[in-house]
PDB file of all heavy atoms in Angstrom:
ATOM      1  N   ALA A   1     -25.389 -13.395 -66.650  1.00 95.00           N
ATOM      2  CA  ALA A   1     -24.986 -13.353 -65.137  1.00 95.00           C
ATOM      3  C   ALA A   1     -23.975 -14.431 -64.822  1.00 95.00           C
ATOM      4  O   ALA A   1     -23.025 -14.280 -64.006  1.00 95.00           O
ATOM      5  CB  ALA A   1     -26.169 -13.423 -64.340  1.00 95.00           C
ATOM      6  N   ALA A   2     -24.365 -15.648 -65.258  1.00 95.00           N
ATOM      7  CA  ALA A   2     -23.456 -16.846 -65.010  1.00 95.00           C
ATOM      8  C   ALA A   2     -22.143 -16.633 -65.542  1.00 95.00           C
ATOM      9  O   ALA A   2     -21.003 -16.929 -64.937  1.00 95.00           O
ATOM     10  CB  ALA A   2     -24.192 -18.046 -65.400  1.00 95.00           C
ATOM     11  N   LEU A   3     -22.089 -16.171 -66.870  1.00 95.00           N
ATOM     12  CA  LEU A   3     -20.762 -15.984 -67.521  1.00 95.00           C
ATOM     13  C   LEU A   3     -19.969 -14.834 -66.720  1.00 95.00           C
ATOM     14  O   LEU A   3     -18.714 -15.040 -66.677  1.00 95.00           O
ATOM     15  CB  LEU A   3     -21.080 -15.425 -68.990  1.00 95.00           C
ATOM     16  CG  LEU A   3     -20.982 -16.611 -69.945  1.00 95.00           C
ATOM     17  CD1 LEU A   3     -21.112 -15.954 -71.494  1.00 95.00           C
ATOM     18  CD2 LEU A   3     -19.647 -17.348 -70.032  1.00 95.00           C
ATOM     19  N   ALA A   4     -20.623 -13.750 -66.313  1.00 94.00           N
ATOM     20  CA  ALA A   4     -19.910 -12.708 -65.643  1.00 94.00           C
ATOM     21  C   ALA A   4     -19.264 -13.213 -64.326  1.00 94.00           C
ATOM     22  O   ALA A   4     -18.069 -12.999 -64.068  1.00 94.00           O
ATOM     23  CB  ALA A   4     -20.821 -11.572 -65.265  1.00 94.00           C
ATOM     24  N   GLN A   5     -20.010 -14.098 -63.601  1.00 94.00           N
ATOM     25  CA  GLN A   5     -19.552 -14.742 -62.479  1.00 94.00           C
ATOM     26  C   GLN A   5     -18.220 -15.705 -62.668  1.00 94.00           C
ATOM     27  O   GLN A   5     -17.285 -15.583 -62.106  1.00 94.00           O
ATOM     28  CB  GLN A   5     -20.542 -15.382 -61.650  1.00 94.00           C
ATOM     29  CG  GLN A   5     -20.156 -16.029 -60.343  1.00 94.00           C
ATOM     30  CD  GLN A   5     -21.155 -16.692 -59.618  1.00 94.00           C
ATOM     31  OE1 GLN A   5     -22.286 -16.886 -60.084  1.00 94.00           O
ATOM     32  NE2 GLN A   5     -20.870 -17.231 -58.422  1.00 94.00           N
ATOM     33  N   ALA A   6     -18.430 -16.512 -63.751  1.00 94.00           N
ATOM     34  CA  ALA A   6     -17.358 -17.437 -64.204  1.00 94.00           C
ATOM     35  C   ALA A   6     -16.040 -16.687 -64.552  1.00 94.00           C
ATOM     36  O   ALA A   6     -14.921 -16.933 -64.267  1.00 94.00           O
ATOM     37  CB  ALA A   6     -17.807 -18.319 -65.185  1.00 94.00           C
ATOM     38  N   CYS A   7     -16.208 -15.575 -65.304  1.00 95.00           N
ATOM     39  CA  CYS A   7     -15.221 -14.746 -65.920  1.00 95.00           C
ATOM     40  C   CYS A   7     -14.327 -14.103 -64.805  1.00 95.00           C
ATOM     41  O   CYS A   7     -13.093 -13.713 -65.158  1.00 95.00           O
ATOM     42  CB  CYS A   7     -15.684 -13.865 -67.012  1.00 95.00           C
ATOM     43  SG  CYS A   7     -16.094 -14.600 -68.545  1.00 95.00           S
ATOM     44  N   ALA A   8     -14.957 -13.949 -63.796  1.00 93.00           N
ATOM     45  CA  ALA A   8     -14.312 -13.334 -62.657  1.00 93.00           C
ATOM     46  C   ALA A   8     -13.044 -14.191 -62.169  1.00 93.00           C
ATOM     47  O   ALA A   8     -12.100 -13.661 -61.451  1.00 93.00           O
ATOM     48  CB  ALA A   8     -15.177 -13.017 -61.350  1.00 93.00           C
ATOM     49  N   ALA A   9     -13.206 -15.450 -62.571  1.00 92.00           N
ATOM     50  CA  ALA A   9     -12.129 -16.355 -62.129  1.00 92.00           C
ATOM     51  C   ALA A   9     -11.251 -16.862 -63.291  1.00 92.00           C
ATOM     52  O   ALA A   9     -10.455 -17.670 -63.255  1.00 92.00           O
ATOM     53  CB  ALA A   9     -12.664 -17.713 -61.460  1.00 92.00           C
ATOM     54  N   VAL A  10     -11.459 -16.114 -64.354  1.00 96.00           N
ATOM     55  CA  VAL A  10     -10.620 -16.438 -65.688  1.00 96.00           C
ATOM     56  C   VAL A  10      -9.477 -15.363 -65.735  1.00 96.00           C
ATOM     57  O   VAL A  10      -9.791 -14.237 -65.439  1.00 96.00           O
ATOM     58  CB  VAL A  10     -11.577 -16.332 -66.903  1.00 96.00           C
ATOM     59  CG1 VAL A  10     -10.715 -16.340 -68.094  1.00 96.00           C
ATOM     60  CG2 VAL A  10     -12.471 -17.524 -66.943  1.00 96.00           C
ATOM     61  N   GLY A  11      -8.307 -15.806 -66.077  1.00 96.00           N
ATOM     62  CA  GLY A  11      -7.279 -14.895 -66.212  1.00 96.00           C
ATOM     63  C   GLY A  11      -5.892 -15.461 -65.886  1.00 96.00           C
ATOM     64  O   GLY A  11      -5.781 -16.087 -64.777  1.00 96.00           O
ATOM     65  N   HIS A  12      -5.008 -15.419 -66.860  1.00 96.00           N
ATOM     66  CA  HIS A  12      -3.689 -16.058 -66.762  1.00 96.00           C
ATOM     67  C   HIS A  12      -2.914 -15.514 -65.571  1.00 96.00           C
ATOM     68  O   HIS A  12      -1.973 -16.197 -65.038  1.00 96.00           O
ATOM     69  CB  HIS A  12      -2.961 -15.953 -68.053  1.00 96.00           C
ATOM     70  CG  HIS A  12      -2.592 -14.609 -68.451  1.00 96.00           C
ATOM     71  ND1 HIS A  12      -3.461 -13.771 -69.099  1.00 96.00           N
ATOM     72  CD2 HIS A  12      -1.505 -13.732 -68.252  1.00 96.00           C
ATOM     73  CE1 HIS A  12      -3.034 -12.496 -69.252  1.00 96.00           C
ATOM     74  NE2 HIS A  12      -1.693 -12.493 -68.718  1.00 96.00           N
ATOM     75  N   GLN A  13      -3.239 -14.177 -65.235  1.00 96.00           N
ATOM     76  CA  GLN A  13      -2.530 -13.593 -64.050  1.00 96.00           C
ATOM     77  C   GLN A  13      -2.734 -14.427 -62.848  1.00 96.00           C
ATOM     78  O   GLN A  13      -2.051 -14.217 -61.800  1.00 96.00           O
ATOM     79  CB  GLN A  13      -2.877 -12.174 -63.954  1.00 96.00           C
ATOM     80  CG  GLN A  13      -4.261 -11.813 -63.539  1.00 96.00           C
ATOM     81  CD  GLN A  13      -5.372 -11.745 -64.763  1.00 96.00           C
ATOM     82  OE1 GLN A  13      -4.874 -12.430 -65.836  1.00 96.00           O
ATOM     83  NE2 GLN A  13      -6.374 -11.175 -64.677  1.00 96.00           N
ATOM     84  N   HIS A  14      -3.854 -15.092 -62.702  1.00 97.00           N
ATOM     85  CA  HIS A  14      -4.154 -15.978 -61.512  1.00 97.00           C
ATOM     86  C   HIS A  14      -3.540 -17.244 -61.448  1.00 97.00           C
ATOM     87  O   HIS A  14      -3.721 -18.145 -60.599  1.00 97.00           O
ATOM     88  CB  HIS A  14      -5.703 -16.048 -61.345  1.00 97.00           C
ATOM     89  CG  HIS A  14      -6.376 -14.779 -61.466  1.00 97.00           C
ATOM     90  ND1 HIS A  14      -6.123 -13.648 -60.661  1.00 97.00           N
ATOM     91  CD2 HIS A  14      -7.488 -14.447 -62.085  1.00 97.00           C
ATOM     92  CE1 HIS A  14      -6.887 -12.712 -61.048  1.00 97.00           C
ATOM     93  NE2 HIS A  14      -7.771 -13.169 -62.009  1.00 97.00           N
ATOM     94  N   LEU A  15      -2.644 -17.681 -62.477  1.00 97.00           N
ATOM     95  CA  LEU A  15      -2.026 -19.026 -62.508  1.00 97.00           C
ATOM     96  C   LEU A  15      -0.553 -18.703 -62.144  1.00 97.00           C
ATOM     97  O   LEU A  15       0.164 -18.044 -62.821  1.00 97.00           O
ATOM     98  CB  LEU A  15      -2.088 -19.538 -64.044  1.00 97.00           C
ATOM     99  CG  LEU A  15      -1.752 -20.824 -64.293  1.00 97.00           C
ATOM    100  CD1 LEU A  15      -2.724 -21.812 -63.694  1.00 97.00           C
ATOM    101  CD2 LEU A  15      -1.618 -21.045 -65.831  1.00 97.00           C
ATOM    102  N   GLU A  16      -0.172 -19.307 -60.976  1.00 98.00           N
ATOM    103  CA  GLU A  16       1.162 -18.947 -60.401  1.00 98.00           C
ATOM    104  C   GLU A  16       1.946 -20.050 -60.655  1.00 98.00           C
ATOM    105  O   GLU A  16       1.778 -21.212 -59.951  1.00 98.00           O
ATOM    106  CB  GLU A  16       0.872 -18.644 -58.900  1.00 98.00           C
ATOM    107  CG  GLU A  16       0.022 -17.370 -58.662  1.00 98.00           C
ATOM    108  CD  GLU A  16      -0.081 -17.064 -57.312  1.00 98.00           C
ATOM    109  OE1 GLU A  16       0.278 -17.864 -56.445  1.00 98.00           O
ATOM    110  OE2 GLU A  16      -0.649 -15.958 -57.023  1.00 98.00           O
ATOM    111  N   LEU A  17       3.058 -20.121 -61.336  1.00 98.00           N
ATOM    112  CA  LEU A  17       3.995 -21.072 -61.649  1.00 98.00           C
ATOM    113  C   LEU A  17       5.287 -20.753 -60.744  1.00 98.00           C
ATOM    114  O   LEU A  17       5.736 -19.589 -60.684  1.00 98.00           O
ATOM    115  CB  LEU A  17       4.440 -21.181 -63.028  1.00 98.00           C
ATOM    116  CG  LEU A  17       3.354 -21.830 -64.026  1.00 98.00           C
ATOM    117  CD1 LEU A  17       4.041 -21.706 -65.423  1.00 98.00           C
ATOM    118  CD2 LEU A  17       2.964 -23.096 -63.652  1.00 98.00           C
ATOM    119  N   ASP A  18       5.792 -21.749 -60.038  1.00 98.00           N
ATOM    120  CA  ASP A  18       6.869 -21.720 -59.356  1.00 98.00           C
ATOM    121  C   ASP A  18       8.066 -22.613 -59.888  1.00 98.00           C
ATOM    122  O   ASP A  18       7.893 -23.793 -59.691  1.00 98.00           O
ATOM    123  CB  ASP A  18       6.671 -22.232 -57.868  1.00 98.00           C
ATOM    124  CG  ASP A  18       7.779 -22.033 -56.898  1.00 98.00           C
ATOM    125  OD1 ASP A  18       9.008 -22.013 -57.444  1.00 98.00           O
ATOM    126  OD2 ASP A  18       7.466 -21.771 -55.673  1.00 98.00           O
ATOM    127  N   ALA A  19       8.938 -21.888 -60.501  1.00 98.00           N
ATOM    128  CA  ALA A  19      10.055 -22.724 -61.292  1.00 98.00           C
ATOM    129  C   ALA A  19      10.848 -23.501 -60.286  1.00 98.00           C
ATOM    130  O   ALA A  19      11.399 -24.594 -60.559  1.00 98.00           O
ATOM    131  CB  ALA A  19      10.847 -21.647 -62.134  1.00 98.00           C
ATOM    132  N   ALA A  20      11.228 -22.889 -59.042  1.00 98.00           N
ATOM    133  CA  ALA A  20      12.067 -23.597 -58.224  1.00 98.00           C
ATOM    134  C   ALA A  20      11.538 -24.795 -57.767  1.00 98.00           C
ATOM    135  O   ALA A  20      12.154 -25.995 -57.488  1.00 98.00           O
ATOM    136  CB  ALA A  20      12.435 -22.562 -57.031  1.00 98.00           C
ATOM    137  N   ALA A  21      10.183 -24.862 -57.389  1.00 98.00           N
ATOM    138  CA  ALA A  21       9.445 -25.966 -56.937  1.00 98.00           C
ATOM    139  C   ALA A  21       8.740 -26.853 -57.899  1.00 98.00           C
ATOM    140  O   ALA A  21       8.378 -27.934 -57.699  1.00 98.00           O
ATOM    141  CB  ALA A  21       8.393 -25.572 -55.831  1.00 98.00           C
ATOM    142  N   ARG A  22       8.836 -26.214 -59.217  1.00 98.00           N
ATOM    143  CA  ARG A  22       8.085 -26.873 -60.402  1.00 98.00           C
ATOM    144  C   ARG A  22       6.618 -27.200 -59.980  1.00 98.00           C
ATOM    145  O   ARG A  22       6.306 -28.405 -60.044  1.00 98.00           O
ATOM    146  CB  ARG A  22       8.850 -28.050 -60.876  1.00 98.00           C
ATOM    147  CG  ARG A  22       8.690 -28.443 -62.390  1.00 98.00           C
ATOM    148  CD  ARG A  22       9.426 -29.380 -62.934  1.00 98.00           C
ATOM    149  NE  ARG A  22       9.034 -30.780 -62.368  1.00 98.00           N
ATOM    150  CZ  ARG A  22       9.947 -31.823 -62.385  1.00 98.00           C
ATOM    151  NH1 ARG A  22      11.070 -31.731 -62.818  1.00 98.00           N
ATOM    152  NH2 ARG A  22       9.319 -32.918 -61.851  1.00 98.00           N
ATOM    153  N   SER A  23       5.957 -26.150 -59.602  1.00 98.00           N
ATOM    154  CA  SER A  23       4.527 -26.350 -59.193  1.00 98.00           C
ATOM    155  C   SER A  23       3.689 -25.309 -59.652  1.00 98.00           C
ATOM    156  O   SER A  23       4.098 -24.320 -60.349  1.00 98.00           O
ATOM    157  CB  SER A  23       4.527 -26.414 -57.534  1.00 98.00           C
ATOM    158  OG  SER A  23       4.795 -25.152 -57.090  1.00 98.00           O
ATOM    159  N   VAL A  24       2.370 -25.431 -59.559  1.00 98.00           N
ATOM    160  CA  VAL A  24       1.447 -24.622 -59.994  1.00 98.00           C
ATOM    161  C   VAL A  24       0.370 -24.272 -58.818  1.00 98.00           C
ATOM    162  O   VAL A  24       0.105 -25.231 -58.155  1.00 98.00           O
ATOM    163  CB  VAL A  24       0.760 -24.838 -61.316  1.00 98.00           C
ATOM    164  CG1 VAL A  24      -0.159 -26.169 -61.058  1.00 98.00           C
ATOM    165  CG2 VAL A  24      -0.219 -23.825 -61.869  1.00 98.00           C
ATOM    166  N   ARG A  25      -0.022 -23.049 -58.734  1.00 98.00           N
ATOM    167  CA  ARG A  25      -1.061 -22.713 -57.688  1.00 98.00           C
ATOM    168  C   ARG A  25      -2.114 -21.822 -58.493  1.00 98.00           C
ATOM    169  O   ARG A  25      -1.693 -20.851 -59.094  1.00 98.00           O
ATOM    170  CB  ARG A  25      -0.427 -22.159 -56.502  1.00 98.00           C
ATOM    171  CG  ARG A  25      -1.539 -21.648 -55.421  1.00 98.00           C
ATOM    172  CD  ARG A  25      -0.770 -21.073 -54.298  1.00 98.00           C
ATOM    173  NE  ARG A  25      -1.736 -20.568 -53.305  1.00 98.00           N
ATOM    174  CZ  ARG A  25      -2.361 -19.333 -53.434  1.00 98.00           C
ATOM    175  NH1 ARG A  25      -1.922 -18.454 -54.320  1.00 98.00           N
ATOM    176  NH2 ARG A  25      -3.159 -18.999 -52.439  1.00 98.00           N
ATOM    177  N   PHE A  26      -3.397 -22.051 -58.040  1.00 98.00           N
ATOM    178  CA  PHE A  26      -4.443 -21.070 -58.557  1.00 98.00           C
ATOM    179  C   PHE A  26      -4.725 -20.051 -57.442  1.00 98.00           C
ATOM    180  O   PHE A  26      -4.920 -20.313 -56.310  1.00 98.00           O
ATOM    181  CB  PHE A  26      -5.809 -21.751 -58.823  1.00 98.00           C
ATOM    182  CG  PHE A  26      -5.665 -22.927 -59.887  1.00 98.00           C
ATOM    183  CD1 PHE A  26      -6.667 -23.812 -60.131  1.00 98.00           C
ATOM    184  CD2 PHE A  26      -4.619 -22.811 -60.856  1.00 98.00           C
ATOM    185  CE1 PHE A  26      -6.747 -24.752 -61.007  1.00 98.00           C
ATOM    186  CE2 PHE A  26      -4.599 -23.745 -61.931  1.00 98.00           C
ATOM    187  CZ  PHE A  26      -5.600 -24.755 -61.942  1.00 98.00           C
ATOM    188  N   ALA A  27      -4.506 -18.779 -57.887  1.00 97.00           N
ATOM    189  CA  ALA A  27      -4.756 -17.717 -56.969  1.00 97.00           C
ATOM    190  C   ALA A  27      -6.261 -17.380 -56.762  1.00 97.00           C
ATOM    191  O   ALA A  27      -6.610 -16.413 -55.981  1.00 97.00           O
ATOM    192  CB  ALA A  27      -4.039 -16.307 -57.412  1.00 97.00           C
ATOM    193  N   ARG A  28      -7.102 -17.946 -57.498  1.00 94.00           N
ATOM    194  CA  ARG A  28      -8.604 -17.622 -57.505  1.00 94.00           C
ATOM    195  C   ARG A  28      -9.301 -18.899 -57.374  1.00 94.00           C
ATOM    196  O   ARG A  28      -9.069 -19.871 -58.094  1.00 94.00           O
ATOM    197  CB  ARG A  28      -8.983 -16.820 -58.763  1.00 94.00           C
ATOM    198  CG  ARG A  28      -8.616 -15.332 -58.855  1.00 94.00           C
ATOM    199  CD  ARG A  28      -9.552 -14.542 -57.952  1.00 94.00           C
ATOM    200  NE  ARG A  28      -9.233 -13.161 -58.033  1.00 94.00           N
ATOM    201  CZ  ARG A  28      -9.707 -12.361 -58.928  1.00 94.00           C
ATOM    202  NH1 ARG A  28     -10.694 -12.720 -59.796  1.00 94.00           N
ATOM    203  NH2 ARG A  28      -9.392 -11.111 -58.964  1.00 94.00           N
ATOM    204  N   ASP A  29     -10.310 -18.958 -56.506  1.00 93.00           N
ATOM    205  CA  ASP A  29     -11.272 -20.096 -56.478  1.00 93.00           C
ATOM    206  C   ASP A  29     -12.090 -20.129 -57.617  1.00 93.00           C
ATOM    207  O   ASP A  29     -12.480 -18.956 -58.155  1.00 93.00           O
ATOM    208  CB  ASP A  29     -12.156 -19.882 -55.221  1.00 93.00           C
ATOM    209  CG  ASP A  29     -11.561 -20.247 -53.989  1.00 93.00           C
ATOM    210  OD1 ASP A  29     -10.601 -20.897 -53.922  1.00 93.00           O
ATOM    211  OD2 ASP A  29     -12.034 -19.722 -52.894  1.00 93.00           O
ATOM    212  N   GLY A  30     -12.426 -21.287 -58.220  1.00 93.00           N
ATOM    213  CA  GLY A  30     -13.105 -21.376 -59.422  1.00 93.00           C
ATOM    214  C   GLY A  30     -12.328 -21.415 -60.675  1.00 93.00           C
ATOM    215  O   GLY A  30     -12.852 -21.721 -61.677  1.00 93.00           O
ATOM    216  N   LEU A  31     -10.957 -21.122 -60.627  1.00 96.00           N
ATOM    217  CA  LEU A  31     -10.123 -21.115 -61.779  1.00 96.00           C
ATOM    218  C   LEU A  31     -10.004 -22.654 -62.203  1.00 96.00           C
ATOM    219  O   LEU A  31      -9.715 -23.472 -61.505  1.00 96.00           O
ATOM    220  CB  LEU A  31      -8.990 -20.437 -61.507  1.00 96.00           C
ATOM    221  CG  LEU A  31      -7.852 -20.164 -62.699  1.00 96.00           C
ATOM    222  CD1 LEU A  31      -7.111 -18.884 -62.501  1.00 96.00           C
ATOM    223  CD2 LEU A  31      -6.895 -21.329 -62.799  1.00 96.00           C
ATOM    224  N   ARG A  32      -9.941 -22.784 -63.490  1.00 96.00           N
ATOM    225  CA  ARG A  32      -9.764 -24.066 -64.211  1.00 96.00           C
ATOM    226  C   ARG A  32      -8.904 -23.819 -65.402  1.00 96.00           C
ATOM    227  O   ARG A  32      -9.133 -22.863 -65.992  1.00 96.00           O
ATOM    228  CB  ARG A  32     -11.106 -24.860 -64.396  1.00 96.00           C
ATOM    229  CG  ARG A  32     -11.898 -25.159 -63.258  1.00 96.00           C
ATOM    230  CD  ARG A  32     -13.225 -25.851 -63.690  1.00 96.00           C
ATOM    231  NE  ARG A  32     -13.094 -27.121 -64.501  1.00 96.00           N
ATOM    232  CZ  ARG A  32     -12.954 -28.237 -63.972  1.00 96.00           C
ATOM    233  NH1 ARG A  32     -12.967 -28.385 -62.645  1.00 96.00           N
ATOM    234  NH2 ARG A  32     -12.801 -29.292 -64.613  1.00 96.00           N
ATOM    235  N   ILE A  33      -8.183 -24.949 -65.763  1.00 97.00           N
ATOM    236  CA  ILE A  33      -7.375 -24.876 -67.053  1.00 97.00           C
ATOM    237  C   ILE A  33      -7.748 -25.955 -67.979  1.00 97.00           C
ATOM    238  O   ILE A  33      -8.349 -27.021 -67.475  1.00 97.00           O
ATOM    239  CB  ILE A  33      -5.892 -24.881 -66.747  1.00 97.00           C
ATOM    240  CG1 ILE A  33      -5.472 -26.093 -66.175  1.00 97.00           C
ATOM    241  CG2 ILE A  33      -5.438 -23.592 -65.884  1.00 97.00           C
ATOM    242  CD1 ILE A  33      -3.887 -26.205 -65.969  1.00 97.00           C
ATOM    243  N   ASP A  34      -7.608 -25.800 -69.191  1.00 96.00           N
ATOM    244  CA  ASP A  34      -7.868 -26.710 -70.327  1.00 96.00           C
ATOM    245  C   ASP A  34      -6.934 -26.587 -71.432  1.00 96.00           C
ATOM    246  O   ASP A  34      -6.673 -25.377 -71.796  1.00 96.00           O
ATOM    247  CB  ASP A  34      -9.287 -26.389 -70.768  1.00 96.00           C
ATOM    248  CG  ASP A  34      -9.799 -27.621 -71.699  1.00 96.00           C
ATOM    249  OD1 ASP A  34      -9.039 -27.992 -72.614  1.00 96.00           O
ATOM    250  OD2 ASP A  34     -10.893 -27.929 -71.644  1.00 96.00           O
ATOM    251  N   LEU A  35      -6.269 -27.581 -71.718  1.00 95.00           N
ATOM    252  CA  LEU A  35      -5.307 -27.525 -72.690  1.00 95.00           C
ATOM    253  C   LEU A  35      -5.622 -27.937 -74.120  1.00 95.00           C
ATOM    254  O   LEU A  35      -4.805 -28.246 -75.040  1.00 95.00           O
ATOM    255  CB  LEU A  35      -4.062 -28.572 -72.415  1.00 95.00           C
ATOM    256  CG  LEU A  35      -3.329 -28.262 -71.015  1.00 95.00           C
ATOM    257  CD1 LEU A  35      -2.292 -29.235 -70.689  1.00 95.00           C
ATOM    258  CD2 LEU A  35      -2.633 -26.794 -71.101  1.00 95.00           C
ATOM    259  N   GLY A  36      -7.014 -27.729 -74.348  1.00 86.00           N
ATOM    260  CA  GLY A  36      -7.614 -28.120 -75.574  1.00 86.00           C
ATOM    261  C   GLY A  36      -6.995 -27.193 -76.770  1.00 86.00           C
ATOM    262  O   GLY A  36      -6.951 -27.745 -77.940  1.00 86.00           O
ATOM    263  N   GLY A  37      -6.492 -25.966 -76.430  1.00 80.00           N
ATOM    264  CA  GLY A  37      -5.911 -25.340 -77.519  1.00 80.00           C
ATOM    265  C   GLY A  37      -4.373 -25.349 -77.555  1.00 80.00           C
ATOM    266  O   GLY A  37      -3.741 -24.498 -78.191  1.00 80.00           O
ATOM    267  N   PHE A  38      -3.834 -26.406 -77.057  1.00 89.00           N
ATOM    268  CA  PHE A  38      -2.432 -26.503 -76.833  1.00 89.00           C
ATOM    269  C   PHE A  38      -1.999 -28.092 -77.183  1.00 89.00           C
ATOM    270  O   PHE A  38      -0.962 -28.292 -77.546  1.00 89.00           O
ATOM    271  CB  PHE A  38      -2.031 -26.013 -75.438  1.00 89.00           C
ATOM    272  CG  PHE A  38      -0.819 -25.073 -75.580  1.00 89.00           C
ATOM    273  CD1 PHE A  38      -0.632 -24.121 -76.602  1.00 89.00           C
ATOM    274  CD2 PHE A  38       0.089 -25.027 -74.556  1.00 89.00           C
ATOM    275  CE1 PHE A  38       0.505 -23.316 -76.746  1.00 89.00           C
ATOM    276  CE2 PHE A  38       1.179 -24.147 -74.588  1.00 89.00           C
ATOM    277  CZ  PHE A  38       1.362 -23.271 -75.708  1.00 89.00           C
ATOM    278  N   ALA A  39      -2.668 -28.924 -76.470  1.00 94.00           N
ATOM    279  CA  ALA A  39      -2.240 -30.304 -76.292  1.00 94.00           C
ATOM    280  C   ALA A  39      -1.935 -30.972 -77.565  1.00 94.00           C
ATOM    281  O   ALA A  39      -1.186 -31.762 -77.757  1.00 94.00           O
ATOM    282  CB  ALA A  39      -3.118 -31.125 -75.373  1.00 94.00           C
ATOM    283  N   LYS A  40      -3.047 -30.763 -78.657  1.00 95.00           N
ATOM    284  CA  LYS A  40      -2.905 -31.495 -79.899  1.00 95.00           C
ATOM    285  C   LYS A  40      -1.533 -30.906 -80.627  1.00 95.00           C
ATOM    286  O   LYS A  40      -0.837 -31.641 -81.424  1.00 95.00           O
ATOM    287  CB  LYS A  40      -4.053 -31.305 -80.660  1.00 95.00           C
ATOM    288  CG  LYS A  40      -5.150 -32.187 -80.148  1.00 95.00           C
ATOM    289  CD  LYS A  40      -6.379 -32.311 -81.141  1.00 95.00           C
ATOM    290  CE  LYS A  40      -6.961 -30.972 -81.414  1.00 95.00           C
ATOM    291  NZ  LYS A  40      -7.673 -30.221 -80.256  1.00 95.00           N
TER     292      LYS A  40
END
């Protein structure tokens, strides 16, 4: 149940990048990002 609730806020489509303003906005409450699969 907890996973289902958390996964409702998971999804790259909710990550809004604005190239003109060079900014990011989350379109869903509870969304978080982690670069553990990218930063190294």
Side-chain angles (χ1 to χ4, degrees):
L3 266 185
Q5 182 177 3
C7 284
V10 171
H12 63 277
Q13 66 273 18
H14 307 310
L15 194 66
E16 299 179 352
L17 287 180
D18 184 332
R22 206 173 73 198
S23 66
V24 64
R25 178 180 174 274
F26 295 165
R28 286 281 181 93
D29 287 335
L31 188 143
R32 295 174 62 86
I33 62 175
D34 190 314
L35 297 176
F38 228 35
K40 292 194 296 295

